[in-house]
Every structure is written in C-alpha cells, then in structure tokens.
Amino acid sequence: MLRLLARLVGGLAFVLLAAACAVSISYYDATTYKNLTDLKVEATMLVGSFDTKAVAANEAKIADVTEKMLKAYEYEKGKGKANSDTMTQIEKIKKLLEQDVNDYRSGAGAKLGPKAFRESATELGQAFDIAISTENLKNKDKR
C-alpha cells in the first residue's frame, strides 16, 4: 500500500513537472525594450507634428516609422505563442498609429480641433508605456 502511494505521488509529481515545462514563459528581451522605447519617441513626435505640418512634408517620416513598427511587430510575432501578449500590444499600437495617419491624410484631424493630434500622440505614448512596462516586468532570469 505504501509502495502504491509512493508511485502515485511520484507520478503526480512527474505530471506536474511536465505540465510546468509545457507552459511557455516569455522572458525579458532587450531588443523588444529598445524597439518599444525608440518607436515611442519617433511615433509620438511624428503624430504630434500632424497638427502643424503638411501631409507631403511628413510622408517620408510616416513611411520610416511605419516600416520600423512593422519590423518590431514581425520580431515579436516570430517569438511565438509565449510572446502573444507583447505581440497583441504592439498590434494595438500599430492600429492606433495607422488610424492617426489615416485621419491625418484624410484631413479628419482639422475637424477634430487644433490640438487633436497632440492628444492622439499622448494616447499613443500611453499605449507604448503599457507595452514597455509589460516587457520590463518579464522574467529576466533565463536559466
């Protein structure tokens, strides 16, 4: 009876260990952190400039920031399911940026008021802050 109980406990311990190993843990990634902090500055400055700059004057910068955003997104996507939270956050940031660019190009920002894009830049910055803090809270111990 004691031997059976020991086998059950040993088997249960093995199942728990296997289950724990199957759970993917997303670790802190310095590249992700740098991508997010760099993009935050570039994207918020770009969107903030939409209140005062003509569309034609910003097209090259829009293309540059959009390309960097897509690269960051693909980098996160390539890290797999364990990184889905960060990937989802970057996807949301990307959509915010795309909406701001679409509003800017369509002239919708003028209808929203003279400081509409500065407010959008603040909202975009807050979304980046959430993603940056999420990355910063990840496990830094990759043993």
Side-chain angles (χ1 to χ4, degrees), residues 27-70:
Y27 290 97
Y28 172 82
D29 184 334
T31 301
T32 296
Y33 185 82
K34 179 157 179 38
N35 285 344
L36 289 169
T37 55
D38 289 352
L39 272 169
K40 176 186 176 186
V41 172
E42 291 188 51
T44 57
M45 286 181 67
L46 174 64
V47 171
S49 76
F50 291 173
D51 284 326
T52 57
K53 275 189 160 180
V55 175
N58 261 338
E59 283 299 339
K61 188 64 179 170
I62 290 170
D64 181 53
V65 172
T66 300
E67 179 182 346
K68 289 176 182 173
M69 183 69 70
L70 290 171

Short mmCIF file of all heavy atoms in Angstrom, two decimals, residues 27-70:
data_model
loop_
_atom_site.label_atom_id
_atom_site.label_comp_id
_atom_site.label_asym_id
_atom_site.label_seq_id
_atom_site.Cartn_x
_atom_site.Cartn_y
_atom_site.Cartn_z
N TYR A 27 10.33 35.65 -21.67
CA TYR A 27 11.39 36.32 -20.93
C TYR A 27 11.62 37.74 -21.45
O TYR A 27 11.30 38.05 -22.59
CB TYR A 27 12.70 35.53 -21.05
CG TYR A 27 12.66 34.22 -20.30
CD1 TYR A 27 12.36 33.04 -20.94
CD2 TYR A 27 12.90 34.19 -18.93
CE1 TYR A 27 12.29 31.85 -20.26
CE2 TYR A 27 12.84 33.00 -18.23
CZ TYR A 27 12.54 31.83 -18.90
OH TYR A 27 12.48 30.65 -18.22
N TYR A 28 12.19 38.56 -20.60
CA TYR A 28 12.57 39.92 -20.97
C TYR A 28 13.50 39.87 -22.18
O TYR A 28 14.38 39.01 -22.27
CB TYR A 28 13.29 40.59 -19.79
CG TYR A 28 13.88 41.93 -20.12
CD1 TYR A 28 13.10 43.07 -20.12
CD2 TYR A 28 15.22 42.04 -20.48
CE1 TYR A 28 13.64 44.30 -20.44
CE2 TYR A 28 15.77 43.27 -20.79
CZ TYR A 28 14.98 44.40 -20.77
OH TYR A 28 15.52 45.61 -21.09
N ASP A 29 13.28 40.78 -23.10
CA ASP A 29 14.09 40.84 -24.30
C ASP A 29 14.56 42.29 -24.50
O ASP A 29 13.74 43.19 -24.71
CB ASP A 29 13.24 40.38 -25.50
CG ASP A 29 14.00 40.30 -26.80
OD1 ASP A 29 15.00 41.01 -26.96
OD2 ASP A 29 13.58 39.53 -27.67
N ALA A 30 15.85 42.50 -24.41
CA ALA A 30 16.41 43.85 -24.53
C ALA A 30 16.11 44.46 -25.91
O ALA A 30 15.93 45.68 -26.02
CB ALA A 30 17.91 43.83 -24.28
N THR A 31 16.04 43.63 -26.94
CA THR A 31 15.72 44.14 -28.28
C THR A 31 14.29 44.67 -28.31
O THR A 31 14.02 45.74 -28.87
CB THR A 31 15.91 43.03 -29.34
OG1 THR A 31 17.27 42.60 -29.30
CG2 THR A 31 15.55 43.52 -30.73
N THR A 32 13.37 43.94 -27.70
CA THR A 32 11.98 44.39 -27.63
C THR A 32 11.90 45.71 -26.88
O THR A 32 11.23 46.64 -27.32
CB THR A 32 11.11 43.33 -26.93
OG1 THR A 32 11.11 42.15 -27.73
CG2 THR A 32 9.69 43.82 -26.74
N TYR A 33 12.58 45.78 -25.75
CA TYR A 33 12.57 47.00 -24.94
C TYR A 33 13.10 48.19 -25.75
O TYR A 33 12.50 49.27 -25.77
CB TYR A 33 13.40 46.80 -23.67
CG TYR A 33 13.34 47.97 -22.73
CD1 TYR A 33 12.27 48.13 -21.86
CD2 TYR A 33 14.35 48.92 -22.72
CE1 TYR A 33 12.21 49.22 -20.99
CE2 TYR A 33 14.30 50.00 -21.86
CZ TYR A 33 13.23 50.15 -20.99
OH TYR A 33 13.16 51.22 -20.14
N LYS A 34 14.20 47.99 -26.46
CA LYS A 34 14.78 49.07 -27.27
C LYS A 34 13.85 49.45 -28.42
O LYS A 34 13.65 50.64 -28.68
CB LYS A 34 16.15 48.67 -27.81
CG LYS A 34 16.78 49.75 -28.68
CD LYS A 34 18.26 49.64 -28.75
CE LYS A 34 18.93 50.66 -29.62
NZ LYS A 34 18.41 52.00 -29.62
N ASN A 35 13.28 48.45 -29.09
CA ASN A 35 12.33 48.74 -30.17
C ASN A 35 11.18 49.60 -29.66
O ASN A 35 10.78 50.58 -30.30
CB ASN A 35 11.78 47.45 -30.78
CG ASN A 35 12.75 46.72 -31.66
OD1 ASN A 35 13.76 47.26 -32.10
ND2 ASN A 35 12.47 45.46 -31.93
N LEU A 36 10.62 49.22 -28.52
CA LEU A 36 9.47 49.94 -27.97
C LEU A 36 9.84 51.37 -27.56
O LEU A 36 9.09 52.31 -27.86
CB LEU A 36 8.89 49.18 -26.78
CG LEU A 36 8.16 47.89 -27.10
CD1 LEU A 36 7.86 47.10 -25.83
CD2 LEU A 36 6.87 48.18 -27.86
N THR A 37 10.95 51.53 -26.87
CA THR A 37 11.31 52.88 -26.41
C THR A 37 11.69 53.78 -27.58
O THR A 37 11.30 54.95 -27.61
CB THR A 37 12.44 52.84 -25.37
OG1 THR A 37 13.56 52.13 -25.90
CG2 THR A 37 11.98 52.18 -24.07
N ASP A 38 12.41 53.25 -28.56
CA ASP A 38 12.76 54.05 -29.74
C ASP A 38 11.52 54.42 -30.54
O ASP A 38 11.34 55.57 -30.95
CB ASP A 38 13.73 53.29 -30.65
CG ASP A 38 15.13 53.17 -30.07
OD1 ASP A 38 15.42 53.78 -29.03
OD2 ASP A 38 15.94 52.43 -30.68
N LEU A 39 10.65 53.44 -30.75
CA LEU A 39 9.43 53.70 -31.52
C LEU A 39 8.50 54.66 -30.81
O LEU A 39 7.81 55.45 -31.46
CB LEU A 39 8.71 52.39 -31.80
CG LEU A 39 9.12 51.66 -33.06
CD1 LEU A 39 8.54 50.26 -33.09
CD2 LEU A 39 8.69 52.43 -34.29
N LYS A 40 8.46 54.60 -29.49
CA LYS A 40 7.60 55.53 -28.75
C LYS A 40 7.99 56.96 -29.07
O LYS A 40 7.14 57.80 -29.39
CB LYS A 40 7.71 55.29 -27.24
CG LYS A 40 6.90 56.30 -26.44
CD LYS A 40 7.12 56.17 -24.95
CE LYS A 40 6.35 57.28 -24.24
NZ LYS A 40 6.62 57.30 -22.81
N VAL A 41 9.27 57.26 -29.00
CA VAL A 41 9.74 58.61 -29.27
C VAL A 41 9.41 59.01 -30.70
O VAL A 41 8.84 60.08 -30.96
CB VAL A 41 11.26 58.74 -28.99
CG1 VAL A 41 11.80 60.08 -29.45
CG2 VAL A 41 11.54 58.52 -27.51
N GLU A 42 9.78 58.17 -31.65
CA GLU A 42 9.57 58.51 -33.06
C GLU A 42 8.09 58.64 -33.41
O GLU A 42 7.69 59.59 -34.10
CB GLU A 42 10.24 57.47 -33.95
CG GLU A 42 11.76 57.53 -33.89
CD GLU A 42 12.41 56.63 -34.91
OE1 GLU A 42 12.04 56.72 -36.09
OE2 GLU A 42 13.28 55.83 -34.51
N ALA A 43 7.28 57.70 -32.97
CA ALA A 43 5.86 57.71 -33.33
C ALA A 43 5.11 58.87 -32.68
O ALA A 43 4.29 59.53 -33.33
CB ALA A 43 5.21 56.38 -32.95
N THR A 44 5.39 59.14 -31.41
CA THR A 44 4.68 60.24 -30.73
C THR A 44 5.10 61.60 -31.29
O THR A 44 4.26 62.49 -31.44
CB THR A 44 4.85 60.19 -29.21
OG1 THR A 44 6.24 60.22 -28.88
CG2 THR A 44 4.21 58.94 -28.62
N MET A 45 6.38 61.75 -31.61
CA MET A 45 6.81 63.01 -32.22
C MET A 45 6.17 63.18 -33.60
O MET A 45 5.75 64.29 -33.96
CB MET A 45 8.33 63.06 -32.31
CG MET A 45 9.01 63.29 -30.97
SD MET A 45 10.81 63.38 -31.09
CE MET A 45 11.01 64.90 -32.01
N LEU A 46 6.11 62.11 -34.35
CA LEU A 46 5.50 62.17 -35.68
C LEU A 46 4.03 62.57 -35.58
O LEU A 46 3.60 63.52 -36.23
CB LEU A 46 5.64 60.82 -36.38
CG LEU A 46 4.92 60.68 -37.72
CD1 LEU A 46 5.52 61.63 -38.76
CD2 LEU A 46 4.97 59.24 -38.20
N VAL A 47 3.27 61.86 -34.77
CA VAL A 47 1.84 62.15 -34.65
C VAL A 47 1.62 63.56 -34.09
O VAL A 47 0.74 64.29 -34.56
CB VAL A 47 1.12 61.08 -33.79
CG1 VAL A 47 -0.32 61.48 -33.48
CG2 VAL A 47 1.15 59.74 -34.51
N GLY A 48 2.44 63.98 -33.15
CA GLY A 48 2.33 65.34 -32.61
C GLY A 48 2.57 66.40 -33.67
O GLY A 48 1.99 67.49 -33.61
N SER A 49 3.38 66.08 -34.66
CA SER A 49 3.67 67.04 -35.73
C SER A 49 2.52 67.17 -36.72
O SER A 49 2.49 68.11 -37.52
CB SER A 49 4.95 66.64 -36.47
OG SER A 49 4.72 65.56 -37.36
N PHE A 50 1.57 66.26 -36.70
CA PHE A 50 0.46 66.30 -37.64
C PHE A 50 -0.40 67.55 -37.49
O PHE A 50 -1.07 67.95 -38.43
CB PHE A 50 -0.43 65.06 -37.50
CG PHE A 50 0.19 63.76 -37.93
CD1 PHE A 50 -0.48 62.57 -37.70
CD2 PHE A 50 1.43 63.70 -38.55
CE1 PHE A 50 0.06 61.35 -38.11
CE2 PHE A 50 1.99 62.48 -38.95
CZ PHE A 50 1.29 61.31 -38.73
N ASP A 51 -0.39 68.18 -36.31
CA ASP A 51 -1.18 69.40 -36.10
C ASP A 51 -0.61 70.58 -36.87
O ASP A 51 -1.34 71.52 -37.17
CB ASP A 51 -1.23 69.77 -34.60
CG ASP A 51 -2.18 68.89 -33.82
OD1 ASP A 51 -3.22 68.48 -34.37
OD2 ASP A 51 -1.89 68.62 -32.64
N THR A 52 0.69 70.55 -37.18
CA THR A 52 1.32 71.73 -37.76
C THR A 52 1.99 71.52 -39.11
O THR A 52 2.27 72.49 -39.80
CB THR A 52 2.38 72.29 -36.79
OG1 THR A 52 3.33 71.26 -36.50
CG2 THR A 52 1.73 72.77 -35.49
N LYS A 53 2.26 70.29 -39.49
CA LYS A 53 2.97 70.01 -40.75
C LYS A 53 2.02 69.53 -41.83
O LYS A 53 1.09 68.78 -41.55
CB LYS A 53 4.05 68.95 -40.54
CG LYS A 53 5.37 69.47 -40.05
CD LYS A 53 6.38 68.34 -40.10
CE LYS A 53 7.79 68.89 -40.10
NZ LYS A 53 8.76 67.80 -40.15
N ALA A 54 2.32 69.92 -43.05
CA ALA A 54 1.54 69.44 -44.20
C ALA A 54 1.84 67.96 -44.42
O ALA A 54 2.94 67.47 -44.12
CB ALA A 54 1.91 70.24 -45.43
N VAL A 55 0.86 67.25 -44.97
CA VAL A 55 1.00 65.81 -45.20
C VAL A 55 2.23 65.50 -46.05
O VAL A 55 3.01 64.60 -45.71
CB VAL A 55 -0.28 65.24 -45.86
CG1 VAL A 55 -0.09 63.78 -46.22
CG2 VAL A 55 -1.48 65.41 -44.95
N ALA A 56 2.42 66.24 -47.12
CA ALA A 56 3.54 65.98 -48.03
C ALA A 56 4.88 66.08 -47.30
O ALA A 56 5.82 65.34 -47.61
CB ALA A 56 3.50 66.93 -49.21
N ALA A 57 4.98 66.98 -46.34
CA ALA A 57 6.23 67.17 -45.60
C ALA A 57 6.52 66.01 -44.66
O ALA A 57 7.67 65.83 -44.25
CB ALA A 57 6.16 68.48 -44.81
N ASN A 58 5.52 65.22 -44.34
CA ASN A 58 5.69 64.12 -43.38
C ASN A 58 5.69 62.74 -44.01
O ASN A 58 5.91 61.75 -43.30
CB ASN A 58 4.56 64.18 -42.34
CG ASN A 58 4.99 64.83 -41.05
OD1 ASN A 58 6.16 64.89 -40.73
ND2 ASN A 58 4.03 65.30 -40.29
N GLU A 59 5.46 62.62 -45.29
CA GLU A 59 5.31 61.30 -45.90
C GLU A 59 6.53 60.40 -45.70
O GLU A 59 6.40 59.22 -45.42
CB GLU A 59 4.96 61.41 -47.39
CG GLU A 59 3.51 61.78 -47.65
CD GLU A 59 2.48 60.79 -47.12
OE1 GLU A 59 2.79 59.60 -46.87
OE2 GLU A 59 1.33 61.21 -46.95
N ALA A 60 7.73 60.96 -45.84
CA ALA A 60 8.94 60.14 -45.67
C ALA A 60 9.05 59.63 -44.23
O ALA A 60 9.41 58.47 -44.00
CB ALA A 60 10.18 60.93 -46.06
N LYS A 61 8.74 60.48 -43.27
CA LYS A 61 8.82 60.08 -41.86
C LYS A 61 7.72 59.06 -41.53
O LYS A 61 7.95 58.12 -40.77
CB LYS A 61 8.71 61.31 -40.95
CG LYS A 61 8.98 61.01 -39.50
CD LYS A 61 10.40 60.55 -39.27
CE LYS A 61 10.65 60.30 -37.80
NZ LYS A 61 11.90 59.63 -37.54
N ILE A 62 6.54 59.24 -42.11
CA ILE A 62 5.46 58.27 -41.91
C ILE A 62 5.91 56.90 -42.41
O ILE A 62 5.74 55.88 -41.73
CB ILE A 62 4.17 58.72 -42.63
CG1 ILE A 62 3.56 59.93 -41.93
CG2 ILE A 62 3.15 57.57 -42.69
CD1 ILE A 62 2.43 60.60 -42.70
N ALA A 63 6.51 56.86 -43.59
CA ALA A 63 6.98 55.60 -44.17
C ALA A 63 8.06 54.98 -43.28
O ALA A 63 8.06 53.76 -43.04
CB ALA A 63 7.52 55.83 -45.57
N ASP A 64 8.97 55.80 -42.76
CA ASP A 64 10.05 55.31 -41.91
C ASP A 64 9.51 54.69 -40.62
O ASP A 64 9.88 53.58 -40.25
CB ASP A 64 11.02 56.45 -41.61
CG ASP A 64 12.18 56.02 -40.74
OD1 ASP A 64 12.86 55.02 -41.10
OD2 ASP A 64 12.42 56.68 -39.71
N VAL A 65 8.64 55.42 -39.93
CA VAL A 65 8.09 54.93 -38.66
C VAL A 65 7.20 53.70 -38.89
O VAL A 65 7.25 52.75 -38.11
CB VAL A 65 7.33 56.06 -37.92
CG1 VAL A 65 6.59 55.52 -36.70
CG2 VAL A 65 8.30 57.16 -37.50
N THR A 66 6.43 53.72 -39.97
CA THR A 66 5.58 52.57 -40.29
C THR A 66 6.42 51.32 -40.53
O THR A 66 6.10 50.23 -40.05
CB THR A 66 4.70 52.88 -41.52
OG1 THR A 66 3.88 54.01 -41.22
CG2 THR A 66 3.83 51.69 -41.90
N GLU A 67 7.52 51.48 -41.26
CA GLU A 67 8.41 50.34 -41.52
C GLU A 67 9.01 49.81 -40.22
O GLU A 67 9.04 48.59 -39.99
CB GLU A 67 9.53 50.76 -42.46
CG GLU A 67 10.50 49.65 -42.77
CD GLU A 67 11.66 50.06 -43.66
OE1 GLU A 67 11.61 51.14 -44.28
OE2 GLU A 67 12.64 49.29 -43.73
N LYS A 68 9.45 50.68 -39.35
CA LYS A 68 10.03 50.26 -38.07
C LYS A 68 8.98 49.55 -37.21
O LYS A 68 9.29 48.57 -36.52
CB LYS A 68 10.62 51.45 -37.33
CG LYS A 68 11.89 51.97 -37.97
CD LYS A 68 12.39 53.21 -37.28
CE LYS A 68 13.65 53.73 -37.98
NZ LYS A 68 14.08 55.02 -37.43
N MET A 69 7.75 50.05 -37.25
CA MET A 69 6.66 49.43 -36.48
C MET A 69 6.39 48.02 -37.01
O MET A 69 6.22 47.08 -36.23
CB MET A 69 5.39 50.29 -36.59
CG MET A 69 4.23 49.78 -35.78
SD MET A 69 4.44 49.92 -34.00
CE MET A 69 4.34 51.67 -33.81
N LEU A 70 6.37 47.87 -38.31
CA LEU A 70 6.15 46.55 -38.90
C LEU A 70 7.29 45.58 -38.56
O LEU A 70 7.05 44.40 -38.28
CB LEU A 70 5.98 46.65 -40.42
CG LEU A 70 4.69 47.32 -40.88
CD1 LEU A 70 4.73 47.56 -42.39
CD2 LEU A 70 3.48 46.48 -40.51
#
